[in-house]
Structure formats: C-alpha cells, structure tokens
Amino acid sequence: MSASTNQPKNSLPLTNDELRLMNAYWRAANYLSVGQIYLKDNPLLERGLTLDDVKPRLLGHWGTTPGLNFLYVHWNRIIKARDLNLLYIIGPGHGGPGLVANSYLEGSYTEVYPHIERNSDGIKRLFRQFSWPYGIPSHVAPETPGSIHEGGELGYSLVHAYGAAFDNPDLVVACVVGDGEAETGPLATSWHGNKFLNPATDGAVLPILHLNGYKIANPTVLARIPQAELEALMRGYGYEPYTLEGHEPEEMHQKAAATFDKIFDRIAEIQHAARVKGVKERPAWPMLILRTPKGWTGPKVVDGKPVEDTWRSHQVPFSELREKPDHLRLLEEWMRGYKPEELFDAKGRLREEIAALAPKGRLRMGMSPHANGGMLLKPLTVPNFRNFAVPVEATKRGALEVESTRVLGRLLDKVLEANKEEKHFRIFGPDETASNRLGDLIPGAKKAWMAEELPVDENLSPAGRVMEVLSEHMCQGWLEGYLLTGRHGFFSC
Amino acid sequence: MSASTNQPKNSLPLTNDELRLMNAYWRAANYLSVGQIYLKDNPLLERGLTLDDVKPRLLGHWGTTPGLNFLYVHWNRIIKARDLNLLYIIGPGHGGPGLVANSYLEGSYTEVYPHIERNSDGIKRLFRQFSWPYGIPSHVAPETPGSIHEGGELGYSLVHAYGAAFDNPDLVVACVVGDGEAETGPLATSWHGNKFLNPATDGAVLPILHLNGYKIANPTVLARIPQAELEALMRGYGYEPYTLEGHEPEEMHQKAAATFDKIFDRIAEIQHAARVKGVKERPAWPMLILRTPKGWTGPKVVDGKPVEDTWRSHQVPFSELREKPDHLRLLEEWMRGYKPEELFDAKGRLREEIAALAPKGRLRMGMSPHANGGMLLKPLTVPNFRNFAVPVEATKRGALEVESTRVLGRLLDKVLEANKEEKHFRIFGPDETASNRLGDLIPGAKKAWMAEELPVDENLSPAGRVMEVLSEHMCQGWLEGYLLTGRHGFFSC
C-alpha cells in the first residue's frame, strides 16, 4: 500500500493499515470466542463443518463478548502508544471466551499454560477445554490471565477497580460495567469511589458503562432511559461522560480510537494537574458510555427471529444443531465471516503483522503483575504484639477495665506508621472505626476524603489511609481489589 | 389576633396563626423526643431538673430526629389540606423518639397503648419506656404506630416505599432517605424504582433526601458534593429535584409549606395526566433535597466543642450528667427552650389549638391501615393445586421428563388470573422468571416496565404484574413493602 493511500481520511486517528489490522485482530478474537463456545474439532475450518466438529452440549455467553474484545484491541493500541500499565476488569465476566481468546492471541495464555500452543493444535485444545469437564469455566475466572475479578460476581467490578487503583499511581484500571450489573445495589453506589481516590497518589479508574441493551430476558434500565438522563446520572456521580455508539466496525474503530485518545489525554491532564501543579480539587474523571449491539457481528436472524441486538444473543445464540440442519450452516457462515484464513497462517499461528499489535511482556494485560498480586506482595511490617499486652497483676484479676479493640487500634496505629513509606496497608470500614473503639489509629492515618471539607471536620485528608463509607459492599470490594493487587488491608465492621 | 395581623406577609403560604401553631407542634414533638432520651421523671419540668430525674443510662439518637419531626408536622398540614392517605417511611429509623412523639401527639399512640395516657403521667411513662428494659426500642420498630420500616435497616427505605405504592393508587408514600443510608448499595439503586411505577394504577412515592451532613463519625458523601452535581444525580435517576435548606424555624416553615404545596400539586398533575388524559410517558416525579442541621434546635456547643450541625449530635449529644454539673443545666435550658408550659396544659395534655393541627382517624399517619397490612389483607384466590398434578402411570415410573418449576409457573399463571380484579398479587425476581422455568406466567401477567420500549421487546407493559430488575435487594425490598401493606407476592431467585 502506498504512503498516500495509507493516510487517514479527514484526519481520522487510524491509518488504513492500523484500521485493517485492528479489525483483523478483533475478528480473530471474536472467531476464537465463537469457536470456544461451539467447536471441539476443525478449529480453523480447514474443511467443511460437520456435526462431529460441534460440542455435544453448548455453554457460554456470546452477547457481551464482541464488545469486550473490541475494547481489548483498543486497550492494546493505547498501552503501546503510551507505555501504559493497564488493568482490565470485566464486570460482565461471563464474557470469558473473549478474555481467554485475547490472552491467547497476545501469547500470555500459552506462557501460563504451555499445552495451549500457538498453533492449530493449541487452538483445538483452547476450544475443547472451554466449559468442558476438567477444562476451564465459561466465565472470567481466577485462572484467566490478567483477571482479578471473577465473572458472575455481578456488582463488584467498579469497587474492585477502585481497590486496585488505590496507591498504584502508575496504573489505569479500565473497568467494564455491564448494563445488567449496573442495576445492582453494590454497583449503583460504587460510582462514588471517586470521592475517595486521590489523583496525586492513586491510579486512575476508567469506567465503561457497556450498554448492549439486554440482560437475560429483559431490556436493561440504563439502556432505556434518555441519553440526557443517563449523562446527568454520570455527571451526578461526578464523572465527565463520553459516548461511543455504533455497529459498523470500521467506523466504530475510528470513533473509538478518537474517543480513547481524548479520554487518556484527559486522565493524563488530571494526573499532571494533581501531581505537578498541585491542584487539590476532586476532578471529574472521564467515563465512557459504550452502546454496541448485544451479540455484535453474530447471527442477525435465527429461525425467523432477530438475534443480534436482542436478549436472544445473551448466551448461546442458537443451538439444536443436530435437530435443525440449517443451524450448522448458520454456524459455518458466521465463523467463516471472520475470514480465519486471513488471520491465521497454515500452521494456525496468528499472522505476524496482526500479532504485532499486542504489547510486549508485562504490558500485555494478560501478564499484568497487578492481576497477580503475589508477584508484587511485600511483607507487612508488624510490631511485636507482645508490646501491646495489658499487664494484669495476679492478685488483681478482674480489676482492670480494658477494651480489646482499643488495644488493637493502638497496634494498628503502629502498623500504619511502620508501613508509611511502603503505602501498602489500608483500613476499611463502614463509618465504624471510631465506634468500634479503633479510634487511636485515626489521628495518625487520617480518613481518605476527596469531597468538600468544612472547618468542623476532623482527621480528613486526601492522603488518608482509613477508608470509611456507609456501604459494606464498597468497603469489602475495595479491600478485595486492594488485596488481589498485592497489598494488605484490615476491615472492621 | 386581628384578621389584619393574621394575613400572610408577601403572600407567604402560612398565616401567622398557622405558623405559630405548626412551630408549637414541632416544639412539642422535639420536646417529647429529648425527654424520651434523657428523663425518667419530672416530664413537664414542673420543678427544677435534678439528677434523680435523669435516666442512669442514656441511649437514643437525637441528630436526625428534629428533621423527621419537622416533616411530620408538614405532612399533617398536607394531609388535612388534601384529605390524603400518606404513609411516612423513615430511612433514618434510629430517629425513633420523634416518631413515637408524633404518634403520641396525634393520639394514635394512646389508642394502641392505652396505658400511655394523654396527660403528664402518660408522658412520664412515654419517657421511661424508651430504651428501657421491657420498654420500647430506640429505633422505629414494628410496634411504632404507622411504621412498616424497621429502623437501622439501612438502605431499604425507598424500596419499601415503592413496594407500598404499587397497586395503591390513592396512597402517597413520603420516604425520608438519610444521607448516611444513601451511601449504601441497596439505596443507591432503589431510586430506579420509578421505572417500574405506573402513575395510572400505582400510588406516588415522594423521596426526601435528608442531608444533615454527617453519619456516625464522618461527613456524608451526598452532603459534600456540589449542589449542581447532586441535582444532576437526581435528574439522572429520573426525578425533578426540589431543594429546601435552612435552620431558622419560622422561615423554614414558610419555605417548607410553599415547597410542599408545589410538590403535591405536581404529584396530582402527574396522576391526573396519567389517569384522565391518558399520558403514557414515564413522568419525572418530584423529590426533595432537604438540608437542615444535624441535631437541629439542640445544644450548639458542649464542653467547648460545636455539637449542633456536626456528627457529635448523632446519638446523645452530651452525657456525663453526674460528672459535669453544667450538663444538667444545659439539658434543662435546652428542654425549657421549647417552652413546654405553652404546649401542654396543667394536666399535661397537648393544648387544644395545637392538637387540632393533627388529622383525624385513619388519616393520622400513626393510624394508616396501610402500615398495618393485616387490616387490609384479603385472601389470595388459589386454584386447587391438585389440578396441576403431573399424572404418572404406575407402570411408567421414570418415563416422563417434567420440570417442577414449569408446573409451578402454570399454577401461578392461574393465581394471577384469578386475582386480576383484586390487584393484590405480584411476582418479583431478578430477571430470572423465564430462566427459572416459570415463564408460562409471563404472557398473561406481563412484565412491569415504564422505560422506553422497542419493537423487539416482548411482554413488557406499564400494567405488568411481574417485577424484574437485576437487583435482589430491590426485588426483596419491593416484596417486603408490598406484603407489609397487606398484599401477596412471590419471589423467585
């Protein structure tokens, strides 16, 4: 392709080559996702599809998967362009096939599980193991490279994202919130995590509200309120909403690249303002409203009923392959539509120019050390607990009145002090640290607070180590995210 | 008072008499609230306060109470002016003394508990029983007249309110949401109940977000975000926010009366539009942002530290009456500040002109039959379950493949049909009615939906009897509110 034809049209962010390759990468991820759900053999469709190639029992969730894959491809671009540490948290964790496919494409999967080779045998094993006895779960699971958030744990994605971002100033946590999950209580309150995140010393959280419109059998609330109302909701939660909507792949790649360039510039600006210019105000962090069809690129109509862009895409968009011969044809057409022969070479290896889009080494999302906390964990310095013993004279048993948690508060105060430099220990609780008699730790540690302060307030600070909010869900979720990324915490309730 | 001096100034909504009497009623409720927390004798301060008059152990929550009492007085005005059935749900249910005080003042309490007479002996018993062995809890409790919502059950007030309003077209449920409680997950999502409420056939829910600024030991998130952000949040949740802010009693009474006149006019307009004009669109229901000081009218400073308008007012604003002699003086000054001699006659009865402000009979909130579901409960018509038996021939055991919940779905379909006229049975579940194999009930009953509909949707209707949202908290809370107001329901999950 000549230089002139490779120029972006109308100042579009992606060159024609970039666009072509990114779309190919996305097709490869989608192809491998469908393959995991349906196939046990003939992984690259080197011959016509027969019933013997199809799994006898079909399990898995297609609906959310292409959208998750689309984001993965775009994160790869952003990571490479900005040399970014990006942790990807998947609220709609039942889109497991997509995350497995992407960590396979970037090579992480094979490094962790060498028997899943990067060739057609490996792809066949990749397909077979999915939702299969002694194989892997259909959801994003602890064994999925790059994951700290279990699929199906609806409602906790955004609290996990905030927990991961605390004290990780160089990390960006991109968190997809499903529009079904967004109806849960824990998720609905977790947007307020931005009132506890310090842009100077914590990382960034980028929430993506993924509206594909349907849950299992119903439309979702947030997909069916007016756009202006939804944007007001996000501004009310303290975010600056960006919107990305569409279904035509090439147009969507260009729009996505432009939008993410803006969003990541904005994140950098916010962090620069807080870290260099000393701006103290809570910023309106960007968030993305992403509207794509449920089951995007999947079958449009099955048995006369619309499937793409409806709840019928939620799980397996069609089954009964043994009963209905045209379903086998439909599957083959669907999979061949991704043009696997353009994506994989004769040995089943992802073609080099496509594979080159993935970041290298630990910048690959599947290899993020933050998703594998044990790699980063440093021991917590704890003073000798014997120094906090309450002396009781043998002749005066029962004479002293002592509260055990008050003693614990003094111990924790010293733990906080001893780990001040490391910044890897926080206290979590639903507004009860003082009333649980742990108050002696508060003056030294302070309580994290990024909202308005008044003169009457005591011990609030953007740098506080005590996380108090009146939601056990948030406290618990923050703690989980903090621990799973290799730090230490204490939760009282 | 002559007619001329009794005219409202500058078209204020309350005449001078109304203002004076409403404020007196409020003072009486506040006085009785403080008395419950502190006193065991000398209930009307007929003599100087001594340590013998004070309870040995002080329990209860003052901070939220004066705000709850303020609303009660204004609901009384609205109820009388509009002949309204109003159910008052108290999210900050630890403000129990206020609700007990108000149901006592209106006479409900004595009708239910005749030993708490409407005289000074009764007031003494009212004070003593509070947080006392064999007495009453300090929170709004099942035994509090007019209550369906247990105090301390943080996060469920608004779902209970919606549950109570469904199929109760003549009921208005005024629901106070505390700003601490507002941080919980269940509450944060429950604002979306308006996407399931049909203005034509359901009652109205009026949420009051009561920002008094603090929880136990911290400021609250929603009190410390900019007003514009908070209003965006409420518009995003689909409400039309009104704001009422202040602390000067007379000014606040006038402003409140004006604001509530507007709000209740708006509710009437919405219902008229849906019921008479046939408007189908989901309305933006009014909600109120109420900003009043925590511990309003309580001690401003104790031991040199600010108390009113801080978290120090949350529970008992000061204790140590035995240790610090000026605390006893402080208590006496505080209570005498309400001028009990102007409120109660020599026998301890609320003065007639003040008592006349309360509604009569069942319009009193403490006597609302909706708060005592058993008074309204009609039996559910259930067809003979034997008609749904799956016939199994003795010789063909194990030959039939039948799903038990599918049979249950058919039974429930008939239950829904048999109770169509009564409108006292609903099905609740987190988007699982179909996947739990109960789907045969859906085509007849339809799924409740007041948000946007698309041609691809199936079985949605504003009049649907199946309540599906992806939040077990909401499903459970709606069901509780529905059952406690005397109806029947089924929850699958």
Side-chain angles (χ1 to χ4, degrees):
Chain A
M1 189 172 281
S2 73
S4 64
T5 61
N6 199 23
Q7 288 307 304
K9 295 171 201 157
N10 307 323
S11 307
L12 293 171
L14 303 175
T15 66
N16 290 344
D17 268 1
E18 284 171 332
L19 177 60
R20 179 177 58 82
L21 292 170
M22 285 179 75
N23 197 45
Y25 202 108
W26 183 46
R27 280 156 45 209
N30 289 339
Y31 179 85
L32 295 182
S33 302
V34 183
Q36 288 175 77
I37 296 172
Y38 282 95
L39 298 191
K40 66 185 171 75
D41 207 344
N42 192 10
L44 292 169
L45 298 181
E46 289 164 307
R47 47 184 172 74
L49 206 56
T50 70
L51 284 176
D52 286 343
D53 300 328
V54 178
K55 294 183 179 184
R57 190 169 180 210
L58 301 174
L59 291 165
H61 290 78
W62 166 248
T64 185
T65 299
L68 300 177
N69 289 343
F70 182 85
L71 290 171
Y72 209 104
V73 178
H74 282 268
W75 300 153
N76 280 344
R77 171 178 174 269
I78 291 284
I79 288 168
K80 287 184 74 178
R82 295 168 192 247
D83 209 24
L84 207 68
N85 282 309
L86 195 145
L87 184 68
Y88 188 19
I89 291 188
I90 313 294
H94 46 266
L99 278 292
V100 169
N102 270 293
S103 62
Y104 176 78
L105 289 174
E106 73 188 15
S108 303
Y109 208 89
T110 305
E111 284 178 40
V112 179
Y113 306 107
H115 65 289
I116 307 292
E117 300 160 308
R118 302 184 81 180
N119 57 31
S120 54
D121 276 355
I123 295 180
K124 184 167 148 182
R125 277 193 283 273
L126 186 83
F127 287 3
R128 280 196 176 221
Q129 69 173 1
F130 178 82
S131 260
W132 194 270
Y134 304 101
I136 64 167
S138 72
H139 288 51
V140 177
E143 53 264 60
T144 310
S147 152
I148 65 164
H149 176 78
E150 177 84 9
E153 202 178 351
L154 284 185
Y156 295 88
S157 57
L158 200 48
V159 281
H160 287 165
Y162 275 99
F166 294 139
D167 297 321
N168 266 330
D170 299 330
L171 187 67
V172 177
V173 188
C175 175
V176 183
V177 175
D179 51 352
E181 163 180 39
E183 295 175 6
T184 66
L187 201 298
T189 195
S190 63
W191 299 99
H192 291 299
N194 54 6
K195 282 84 184 180
F196 300 86
L197 186 99
N198 182 351
T201 55
D202 296 325
V205 173
L206 171 59
I208 296 101
L209 178 62
H210 189 192
L211 301 178
N212 60 33
Y214 302 89
K215 28 198 200 250
I216 308 179
N218 281 296
T220 59
V221 169
L222 295 188
R224 297 292 182 89
I225 62 175
Q227 174 74 11
E229 209 167 291
L230 182 60
E231 287 185 17
L233 186 65
M234 290 300 136
R235 289 187 198 284
Y237 276 131
Y239 296 87
E240 183 190 0
Y242 292 73
T243 297
L244 177 59
E245 178 174 6
H247 61 90
E248 200 287 303
E250 298 204 347
E251 188 190 331
M252 276 296 279
H253 282 298
Q254 291 288 12
K255 281 161 70 173
T259 306
F260 288 128
D261 284 347
K262 272 190 230 162
I263 284 177
F264 282 83
D265 282 352
R266 185 73 196 111
I267 290 174
E269 275 170 28
I270 287 171
Q271 292 182 332
H272 185 261
R275 295 172 189 184
V276 180
K277 295 188 191 164
V279 170
K280 299 287 179 211
E281 283 71 36
R282 171 170 58 89
W285 291 96
M287 66 77 58
L288 180 70
I289 297 166
L290 174 65
R291 290 185 197 266
T292 62
K294 188 149 188 157
W296 194 12
T297 74
K300 296 216 175 334
V301 175
V302 178
D303 300 338
K305 288 188 174 165
V307 171
E308 191 195 34
D309 206 14
T310 81
W311 71 94
R312 295 188 190 92
S313 290
H314 183 75
Q315 299 186 354
V316 179
F318 58 86
S319 47
E320 298 179 292
L321 278 84
R322 274 150 189 84
E323 295 79 9
K324 300 184 177 170
D326 69 315
H327 282 200
L328 185 68
R329 183 187 49 73
L330 202 60
L331 176 61
E332 185 163 351
E333 278 177 13
W334 175 16
M335 293 194 73
R336 286 205 191 277
Y338 297 119
K339 303 188 182 165
E341 67 285 0
E342 291 180 13
L343 309 172
F344 301 94
D345 69 16
K347 292 186 174 167
R349 288 179 308 209
L350 185 64
R351 289 187 190 277
E352 265 182 33
E353 60 170 2
I354 304 173
L357 293 193
K360 304 277 174 259
R362 288 187 165 203
L363 289 184
R364 288 172 299 175
M365 284 173 273
M367 280 295 165
S368 169
H370 296 287
N372 203 344
M375 295 173 67
L376 301 173
L377 190 69
K378 292 178 194 160
L380 187 70
T381 306
V382 180
N384 190 332
F385 67 87
R386 289 185 179 80
N387 300 343
F388 298 83
V390 176
V392 180
E393 290 178 46
T395 56
K396 291 187 179 168
R397 288 184 189 278
L400 271 180
E401 204 170 298
V402 184
E403 293 163 314
S404 54
T405 53
R406 199 171 291 281
V407 177
L408 178 59
R410 285 181 209 132
L411 169 64
L412 290 170
D413 177 49
K414 297 299 175 196
V415 176
L416 283 153
E417 199 180 300
N419 295 276
K420 210 163 204 168
E421 295 289 309
E422 299 284 359
K423 283 196 167 194
H424 63 169
F425 180 58
R426 292 202 185 213
I427 305 282
F428 301 82
D431 193 29
E432 292 175 7
T433 308
S435 65
N436 288 338
R437 309 282 183 264
L438 298 163
D440 285 347
L441 66 84
I442 292 175
K446 308 287 188 228
K447 296 180 281 190
W449 190 253
M450 277 300 297
E452 188 194 4
E453 280 194 56
L454 296 179
V456 74
D457 292 332
E458 289 183 354
N459 294 314
L460 301 183
S461 163
R465 314 295 300 163
V466 183
M467 315 296 297
E468 296 206 313
V469 65
L470 221 165
S471 163
E472 278 95 345
H473 291 120
M474 277 171 96
C475 294
Q476 163 80 13
W478 286 345
L479 174 67
E480 287 175 1
Y482 199 69
L483 297 182
L484 288 167
T485 47
R487 283 83 61 81
H488 307 272
F490 177 91
F491 182 18
S492 85
C493 171
Chain B
M1 190 173 283
S2 73
S4 64
T5 62
N6 198 23
Q7 288 307 304
K9 294 171 204 159
N10 308 322
S11 308
L12 293 171
L14 303 176
T15 65
N16 290 344
D17 267 1
E18 282 171 331
L19 177 59
R20 179 178 59 82
L21 291 171
M22 285 179 75
N23 197 45
Y25 202 108
W26 184 45
R27 280 155 45 209
N30 289 340
Y31 179 86
L32 295 182
S33 302
V34 182
Q36 288 175 78
I37 296 172
Y38 280 95
L39 298 191
K40 66 183 171 76
D41 207 346
N42 193 11
L44 292 170
L45 297 181
E46 290 165 307
R47 47 184 173 74
L49 206 57
T50 70
L51 284 176
D52 287 344
D53 299 327
V54 178
K55 293 182 178 184
R57 191 171 177 209
L58 301 174
L59 290 165
H61 291 77
W62 166 247
T64 186
T65 299
L68 300 177
N69 289 343
F70 182 84
L71 290 171
Y72 209 106
V73 177
H74 282 268
W75 300 152
N76 280 344
R77 171 177 173 270
I78 292 284
I79 289 168
K80 287 184 74 178
R82 295 167 191 249
D83 208 24
L84 207 67
N85 281 310
L86 195 145
L87 184 68
Y88 187 19
I89 290 189
I90 313 295
H94 45 268
L99 278 292
V100 169
N102 270 293
S103 62
Y104 175 78
L105 289 174
E106 73 188 15
S108 304
Y109 208 90
T110 305
E111 283 177 40
V112 179
Y113 305 108
H115 65 290
I116 307 293
E117 301 159 308
R118 301 184 83 181
N119 57 32
S120 53
D121 276 354
I123 295 180
K124 182 167 149 182
R125 277 192 283 272
L126 185 85
F127 287 1
R128 283 198 173 219
Q129 70 172 2
F130 178 81
S131 261
W132 192 271
Y134 305 99
I136 64 167
S138 74
H139 289 51
V140 177
E143 53 262 61
T144 311
S147 152
I148 66 163
H149 176 77
E150 177 82 10
E153 202 178 354
L154 282 185
Y156 296 87
S157 57
L158 200 48
V159 281
H160 286 165
Y162 275 99
F166 295 139
D167 298 320
N168 266 329
D170 299 329
L171 187 67
V172 177
V173 188
C175 175
V176 183
V177 174
D179 49 354
E181 161 179 42
E183 295 176 6
T184 66
L187 201 295
T189 196
S190 63
W191 299 98
H192 291 299
N194 54 6
K195 282 86 184 178
F196 300 86
L197 185 100
N198 182 349
T201 54
D202 297 324
V205 173
L206 171 60
I208 296 101
L209 178 62
H210 189 193
L211 302 177
N212 60 34
Y214 301 89
K215 28 199 201 250
I216 306 180
N218 280 296
T220 60
V221 169
L222 295 188
R224 297 292 183 90
I225 62 175
Q227 174 75 11
E229 211 167 290
L230 182 60
E231 287 185 16
L233 186 65
M234 290 300 135
R235 288 186 197 284
Y237 276 130
Y239 296 86
E240 182 190 1
Y242 292 72
T243 297
L244 177 59
E245 178 174 6
H247 61 89
E248 202 285 304
E250 297 205 346
E251 188 190 332
M252 277 295 281
H253 283 297
Q254 291 287 11
K255 281 161 70 174
T259 306
F260 288 128
D261 283 346
K262 274 190 229 162
I263 284 177
F264 282 83
D265 281 352
R266 185 73 196 110
I267 290 173
E269 274 170 29
I270 288 171
Q271 293 181 331
H272 186 260
R275 296 172 189 184
V276 180
K277 296 186 191 166
V279 170
K280 299 286 179 211
E281 283 71 38
R282 171 171 57 89
W285 290 95
M287 65 79 58
L288 179 69
I289 297 166
L290 175 64
R291 290 186 197 264
T292 62
K294 188 150 187 157
W296 193 11
T297 73
K300 296 213 174 336
V301 175
V302 178
D303 300 337
K305 289 189 175 167
V307 171
E308 191 195 34
D309 207 12
T310 82
W311 71 93
R312 295 188 189 92
S313 290
H314 183 73
Q315 299 186 353
V316 179
F318 59 86
S319 45
E320 299 179 292
L321 278 84
R322 273 152 189 81
E323 295 79 9
K324 300 184 178 171
D326 70 316
H327 282 199
L328 184 67
R329 185 188 46 76
L330 204 59
L331 175 60
E332 184 163 353
E333 277 176 15
W334 175 15
M335 294 193 72
R336 287 204 190 276
Y338 297 119
K339 302 188 183 163
E341 68 284 1
E342 291 180 14
L343 310 172
F344 301 95
D345 68 16
K347 292 186 174 165
R349 289 179 307 208
L350 184 64
R351 290 185 190 276
E352 266 183 31
E353 60 171 2
I354 305 173
L357 293 193
K360 303 278 174 258
R362 288 186 164 204
L363 289 184
R364 288 171 298 176
M365 285 173 272
M367 279 294 163
S368 169
H370 296 287
N372 203 345
M375 294 172 67
L376 301 173
L377 190 70
K378 292 177 194 162
L380 187 70
T381 307
V382 181
N384 191 335
F385 66 88
R386 289 185 180 81
N387 300 343
F388 299 84
V390 177
V392 181
E393 291 178 45
T395 56
K396 291 186 180 171
R397 289 186 188 279
L400 272 180
E401 204 169 296
V402 184
E403 294 163 312
S404 55
T405 53
R406 200 172 291 282
V407 178
L408 177 60
R410 286 181 208 131
L411 169 63
L412 289 170
D413 177 50
K414 296 299 175 197
V415 175
L416 283 153
E417 200 180 300
N419 296 276
K420 212 164 201 167
E421 296 288 310
E422 298 284 359
K423 285 198 165 192
H424 64 168
F425 180 56
R426 292 204 185 212
I427 305 283
F428 302 82
D431 193 29
E432 292 175 8
T433 307
S435 65
N436 288 339
R437 308 283 183 264
L438 299 164
D440 285 347
L441 67 83
I442 292 175
K446 308 286 188 230
K447 296 180 282 191
W449 190 253
M450 277 300 297
E452 188 194 3
E453 280 193 57
L454 296 179
V456 75
D457 293 331
E458 290 183 352
N459 294 314
L460 302 183
S461 163
R465 312 296 299 164
V466 183
M467 316 297 297
E468 294 207 314
V469 66
L470 223 164
S471 164
E472 278 95 346
H473 290 120
M474 276 170 95
C475 294
Q476 164 79 15
W478 286 345
L479 175 66
E480 288 175 359
Y482 199 68
L483 296 183
L484 288 168
T485 47
R487 283 82 62 82
H488 307 272
F490 177 90
F491 181 19
S492 86
C493 171

